Amino acid sequence: MKRTATMSLVIVLVLLFPSVSLGAAFTFSTGSPDGRMATASRPATAGKIEIESADDFIISGCATSITSASFFGLITGGVPLSSITQVVVEMYRVFPLDSDTVRTPQVPTRANSPSDVALDVRDSGAGGLTFTVSTVAATFTAGNSVLNGIHPIPTQTTNGEGAVTGQEVMITVNFPTPFVLPPNHYFFVPQVAVTGGEFYWLSAPKPIVAAPFNPDLQSWIRNAPLAPDWLRVGTDIVGGATPPTFNAAFSLTGSTVPIVITPTSASPLNGVEGAPISSTTFTATGGVAPFAFSEAGALPAGVTLTSAGVLSGTPAEEGSFPITVMVTDAAGCTDTLAYTIHVADAALTLTMTSFTFTAGSPFTGAVAAFHDANTASPASDFTATINWGDGATSAGTIISTGGGNFSVSGTHTFASAGPFNVTVVVNDVGGSTASGTQAVSGTAAVPALSPWMLGLLLIALAAIALQSIAK
């Protein structure tokens, strides 16, 4: 990327998006005119064929919005600045893009030339650009020029048409709709219509003095009869034992295009443990497609973000999960968005377990079972309280039986057979609560015998036994 401090503007980029965004400033310049070459460049007008002169620049890194440009030239014929009636700016990519590669060219080479057709165009006549013209010098002479000497092979070399003198001007153009260019190699083509005179684009030093770049291609030219082919101004037209090469004097300003993730809100996505979340699709604008999405941070188990930007799944655990959604475009440029998923604790489902007891004897066993939507929850996430219905309360013992299923057991001695209303309450560390109640009854205890009753019973049993022997 070429940069210069000689002509620097700060540009505010208004994206075609609901919000206004700023990108990193972009500036480019080939420098001031060096007086070596002047090439005609004009749109087709009454009595004049179209001529296009082109010089290259590179967009690297992120996509860039070109919002304005300036270029230096000569106006011949002694006409005033008001004689400039139309300005056209075209952007070309490098051959073989946008080109017919099967046809036979009518020029020495198409390697490193502009493509057959323009990638994009802005025309003042159609409202695509606005322009202002200022005088740099009342008189300026370029050492050589090209206007009519644009011919196909084998007569392409004319040595140029000699020196040309005119009023040196700088034309500044602004693009209400910017050129948005992905990273690539491009040619800038300005065309100027002048009533009563000609416009010549002035050359600039090659290599560029301020910030050279590689490859810095030489300037090219064509007229309507030569199209879609192009000729190198120095190598093909001027020629010679050691052909010269030229740049053209121009500058570009703009800013990189920020990538914007939609939805832009960082408001949380709310879900419930064990239930599918509302699927959210993130998209991106700006930058260079295709886009790839990823996340930093811990998504809840069961939830995924695909590279296409689809966030979906069934969260298996409750909690708040802050993540960073990141998008990367084809040029390696990125944008991030802070996003939070809040997962509420799912309601527990509890059922009571039937059991029996014997009054006066300790009971130990299961009294209830429950299920949690988080199948990975450990038993330690829960606490249980058992109200035995006779005024006694104790903590329940919770055991995982797999798959989010748990049992609650306890130990208690009932004084009588009841019935008693036993209530179990289970609390989840995530906040959910479940409870159940059931009526239970037991069997009465066998009464204890006093010593004298036990003695009478033994005597009776002995008498029965003697009677049996006597028989």
Side-chain angles (χ1 to χ4, degrees), residues 60-63 183 256-257 259 287-288 291-292 326-335:
S60 59
C62 301
T256 57
V257 179
I259 304 172
V288 184
F291 300 97
M326 183 171 73
V327 63
T328 303
D329 75 353
C333 298
T334 63
D335 187 36

Side-chain angles (χ1 to χ4, degrees), residues 2 24 34 36-37 91 110 112 167 170 177 182 218 241 246 251 256 264 269 288 331 351 391 393 416 420 462:
K2 299 182 281 187
D34 60 6
R36 298 170 62 215
M37 174 57 70
M91 296 291 183
R110 287 300 304 274
N112 294 324
Q167 179 183 184
M170 182 178 74
T177 300
Q218 61 181 300
F246 306 99
S251 66
T256 57
T264 58
L269 174 66
V288 184
T351 56
T393 301
S416 65
F420 301 101

Side-chain angles (χ1 to χ4, degrees), residues 357-364 411-414:
F357 62 90
T358 299
S361 297
F363 162 80
T364 298
T411 298
H412 183 63
T413 300
F414 292 92

Side-chain angles (χ1 to χ4, degrees), residues 232-244:
R232 293 166 291 186
V233 175
T235 302
D236 297 330
I237 296 178
V238 176
T242 305

Side-chain angles (χ1 to χ4, degrees), residues 219-268:
S219 57
W220 296 68
I221 195 169
R222 74 179 179 185
N223 57 17
L226 187 67
D229 292 321
W230 297 77
L231 288 168
R232 293 166 291 186
V233 175
T235 302
D236 297 330
I237 296 178
V238 176
T242 305
T245 58
F246 306 99
N247 280 325
F250 73 104
S251 66
L252 304 172
T253 55
S255 57
T256 57
V257 179
I259 304 172
V260 178
I261 298 176
T262 303
T264 58
S265 173
S267 298

Side-chain angles (χ1 to χ4, degrees), residues 180-201:
V180 177
L181 304 177
N184 212 327
H185 203 153
Y186 297 93
F187 280 93
F188 174 76
V189 177
Q191 296 177 291
V192 180
V194 181
T195 302
E198 287 290 349
F199 171 80
Y200 290 85
W201 192 11

Side-chain angles (χ1 to χ4, degrees), residues 320-345:
S320 182
F321 302 87
I323 62 171
T324 299
V325 178
M326 183 171 73
V327 63
T328 303
D329 75 353
C333 298
T334 63
D335 187 36
T336 59
L337 173 69
Y339 206 76
T340 301
I341 303 172
H342 286 326
V343 181
D345 194 21

